[in-house]
Amino acid sequence: MNYENPILRGMYPDPSVVRVGDTYYLATSTFEYYPGIALSKSTDLLNWEKIPSVTITSTQADLSQAKSNEGIFAVCLRYHAEHFYAITTNFAEFKTFFIKGTLTKTGIQWEENRTEIAVRGIDPDLYFEDGRCYVQFTGYVDDKGNKAIQQVEISVETGAILQGPEILTFGSGGRDVEAPHILKKDGWYYLLMAEGGTGVGHMITMFRSRNLWGPYDAPANVNPLFTNRDRAEKPLQNIGHGDLFQDILGNWWLTCLGTRPATVGFTQITNIGRETLLYPVKWSGDWPQIYTGVPEQTVDMTDFPEHAKILTVAQTLTPFVDDFMEKNLQPEWITLRGSLQEKLQVTPSSLSLTGSTTTLSDTGTPSFLGVRQTEHEEDFRVILDREQTQIRAGKLGVACLINNDHYATLLIEKVTEGYRLVRFQKVADLEVHEVLGTLADTPESMGITHHTAKKRFWAYGDGQEFGFDTAALHFSNEAIAALNTGDFQGMYVLGDAVMSVKEVRRTKISCS
């Protein structure tokens, strides 16, 4: 059998997996998006159900001042003594902390307060042994941004540092050594890391030691353990930041991040962001063999029959559809930096979003409710409730963004002769204002159609369609010179307006 990577599509980077019974739980980074620390669960490793996120209050993580590409950095998820531990760094506060959770009949109940750990770094990992708790992290060693993998022993009750920090390693020579995870096997402590920066040079490396505090090293032929840094022809790139875990049969697996760049002309661009990948692992000797050694999009399980026994359910990719019949929003929905509170109302068969004076350019929480872009060729459409939608002195419509300096919107505003459709787009310090046309009534539907090279924003009503095209490059990681986030799309309301929605769909476009 075969399966396809990524297993989580769209911006789900820095994956960490833990198994509890026969269920696997996966946590990923969320940066400035709210709620923080995205969670999914699965019993077959291929089909993942999104479940409620970890941080929902400011006492857990204050994202109110998180700039673009800041906020919740790499998260590690662990399970010990019948409790979950989600440990991360909120870069907006520069605080490292963990939040404790308990599995209940209705899901994971996370504590409202966090336990802080006074370390100067990012990418924390938790390791438990003999009643003690240790934190490995990417620590800054000077004011120039140079890093090393460091370790402290902490009190799991208070977060107080009991020993350290001590440097474990500076890595194998790649820049930006990060993403440490410790596991113990056959009397050895194995230290999994990522190096090379989270771009084209990204790679997974590993050292080991007989002592938890080191020294850690590896023979010259071991590293990099897994990478596509020298394989520009492969559809998956930027492979790194991994986590090793075992399934219910004892087989080892690696989850890691990677990207699916799109080729446009003579360049590659990344709109979707860093996604979650999965590969079978064999320990044929002293070091793990990850798949064939080459990160592939299609994973052939022919040589992994024991691993394949876990994959009993066929992998399915279903469209995202929300008709708002449930009391609570589906977990895929996100906002920026905080809750929309009373501005968002969900009633049977409809959602209402009230406008705000905060814009997508601001460091705040605008009236934006979105989902991730998950495919290069994708259709996102919003079906409006024309009777309940209200536009007075405000505007409403659809938006797509990668950060607060690179986004575009198609908005409706009320004018004397009807409803005017307006394009507003921001590309760094360039702003585009364009009137597209006028409808007699509010549109029936609005949306964004994504293609590899362009995005089309459109609105349809009473037999008329207005819209505009713009280059996908404007919403790419290459445009903003950063790789933390990907594209989000959703409803956006400004000022004195209320957007009432019957249904939202996100569908992959068939290219056949």
Side-chain angles (χ1 to χ4, degrees):
M1 69 169 293
N2 299 341
Y3 68 85
E4 294 294 314
N5 273 314
I7 56 167
L8 284 187
R9 307 171 85 84
M11 193 206 83
Y12 290 103
D14 312 323
S16 181
V17 172
V18 66
R19 178 177 61 85
V20 180
D22 63 353
T23 302
Y24 306 89
Y25 295 87
L26 190 157
T28 57
S29 304
T30 44
F31 300 95
E32 69 265 34
Y33 294 96
Y34 172 91
I37 308 180
L39 291 179
S40 302
K41 69 176 183 178
S42 174
T43 56
D44 62 19
L45 294 180
L46 296 183
N47 301 283
W48 293 86
E49 175 190 353
K50 310 301 190 305
I51 61 176
S53 299
V54 177
T55 66
I56 60 174
T57 68
S58 59
T59 58
Q60 295 169 315
D62 185 357
L63 298 173
S64 61
Q65 300 303 310
K67 298 176 183 177
S68 294
N69 283 271
E70 290 188 358
I72 298 293
F73 271 40
V75 60
C76 172
L77 188 65
R78 293 294 180 254
Y79 190 78
H80 175 72
E82 299 185 346
H83 291 288
F84 288 92
Y85 291 85
I87 186 169
T88 188
T89 302
N90 179 9
F91 202 81
E93 302 173 277
F94 203 60
K95 295 284 188 180
T96 292
F97 58 88
F98 67 78
I99 300 174
K100 193 174 176 181
T102 304
L103 188 61
T104 69
K105 292 181 179 179
T106 58
I108 304 175
Q109 182 66 46
W110 296 97
E111 293 184 351
E112 290 189 11
N113 295 314
R114 67 192 185 187
T115 300
E116 294 184 7
I117 306 163
V119 294
R120 186 173 179 264
I122 58 173
D123 291 14
D125 174 54
L126 273 179
Y127 178 73
F128 296 92
E129 183 176 78
D130 297 333
R132 295 183 171 185
C133 182
Y134 305 86
V135 175
Q136 300 76 38
F137 62 100
T138 302
Y140 295 97
V141 295
D142 56 34
D143 294 330
K144 298 179 181 180
N146 293 313
K147 305 169 186 174
I149 302 302
Q150 301 182 34
Q151 180 171 271
V152 293
E153 181 186 352
I154 67 165
S155 163
V156 76
E157 286 77 25
T158 66
I161 295 175
L162 306 178
Q163 182 180 351
E166 294 186 18
I167 293 175
L168 301 185
T169 179
F170 287 93
S172 67
R175 72 177 181 88
D176 291 331
V177 60
E178 56 192 10
H181 291 301
I182 288 275
L183 64 93
K184 191 175 185 181
K185 186 178 187 298
D186 301 329
W188 288 94
Y189 295 93
Y190 286 88
L191 175 58
L192 190 70
M193 302 171 289
E195 300 182 53
T198 189
V200 293
H202 215 22
M203 56 183 173
I204 292 175
T205 59
M206 179 177 270
F207 285 176
R208 72 175 184 174
S209 174
R210 287 292 189 185
N211 189 301
L212 180 61
W213 291 94
Y216 285 85
D217 55 24
N221 63 344
V222 169
N223 292 309
L225 202 65
F226 205 53
T227 184
N228 266 345
R229 64 179 186 175
D230 300 316
R231 304 183 185 95
E233 77 283 359
K234 292 296 182 181
L236 297 179
Q237 293 294 319
N238 305 345
I239 308 298
H241 203 119
D243 195 11
L244 285 161
F245 66 95
Q246 288 180 280
D247 63 29
I248 59 174
L249 300 180
N251 303 304
W252 285 91
W253 297 82
L254 175 93
T255 185
C256 63
L257 65 79
T259 62
R260 287 180 289 158
T263 300
V264 179
F266 294 98
T267 188
Q268 288 190 322
I269 65 172
T270 310
N271 288 103
I272 300 172
R274 301 173 301 165
E275 304 176 284
T276 294
L277 316 178
L278 178 74
Y279 294 98
V281 175
K282 288 183 179 179
W283 290 79
S284 56
D286 291 337
W287 301 90
Q289 173 70 31
I290 303 171
Y291 188 47
T292 63
V294 178
E296 300 282 6
Q297 189 163 4
T298 300
V299 180
D300 184 351
M301 296 298 292
T302 301
D303 294 332
F304 299 87
E306 293 303 311
H307 292 73
K309 291 178 181 178
I310 299 297
L311 314 180
T312 55
V313 181
Q315 186 179 23
T316 59
L317 298 175
T318 57
F320 172 79
V321 180
D322 199 341
D323 57 7
F324 309 109
M325 294 304 295
E326 301 294 329
K327 180 180 179 181
N328 297 317
L329 281 174
Q330 294 188 34
E332 285 203 45
W333 288 108
I334 60 88
T335 60
L336 280 158
R337 302 178 186 87
S339 169
L340 291 170
Q341 300 178 338
E342 71 279 356
K343 294 186 181 299
L344 180 64
Q345 300 291 328
V346 180
T347 57
S349 74
S350 71
L351 174 145
S352 294
L353 182 60
T354 300
S356 169
T357 57
T358 305
T359 73
L360 291 172
S361 297
D362 299 326
T363 301
T365 301
S367 288
F368 171 80
L369 182 68
V371 294
R372 294 160 175 82
Q373 180 182 344
T374 59
E375 305 294 341
H376 296 296
E377 302 282 332
E378 182 172 275
D379 184 66
F380 173 79
R381 63 182 58 222
V382 178
I383 310 301
L384 276 72
D385 184 335
R386 302 172 87 178
E387 292 184 0
Q388 298 300 318
T389 292
Q390 303 170 27
I391 308 174
R392 291 178 283 268
K395 302 176 183 179
L396 59 84
V398 291
C400 179
L401 75 151
I402 190 169
N403 72 354
N404 61 359
D405 285 325
H406 294 78
Y407 66 88
T409 67
L410 175 56
L411 299 172
I412 316 160
E413 60 183 1
K414 184 74 175 72
V415 292
T416 303
E417 64 274 20
Y419 295 87
R420 184 163 57 198
L421 295 161
V422 179
R423 169 190 184 181
F424 176 78
Q425 184 167 356
K426 186 173 176 60
V427 182
D429 58 354
L430 174 68
E431 294 184 356
V432 178
H433 298 258
E434 181 184 2
V435 175
L436 303 173
T438 304
L439 290 170
D441 201 351
T442 53
E444 299 166 20
S445 59
M446 304 183 73
I448 306 167
T449 303
H450 304 275
H451 296 293
T452 300
K454 70 177 184 179
K455 298 178 187 287
R456 177 159 183 82
F457 291 69
W458 55 268
Y460 177 84
D462 300 327
Q464 292 182 284
E465 181 175 309
F466 294 96
F468 66 91
D469 294 341
T470 186
L473 176 65
H474 297 318
F475 307 80
S476 70
N477 292 125
E478 290 71 21
I480 64 174
L483 280 169
N484 284 351
T485 58
D487 289 6
F488 284 78
Q489 57 203 337
M491 294 89 75
Y492 180 43
V493 187
L494 290 164
D496 189 11
V498 178
M499 189 172 186
S500 185
V501 177
K502 294 180 180 179
E503 181 182 277
V504 175
R505 286 181 172 266
R506 182 188 63 198
T507 310
K508 181 178 180 179
I509 299 172
S510 174
C511 297
S512 60

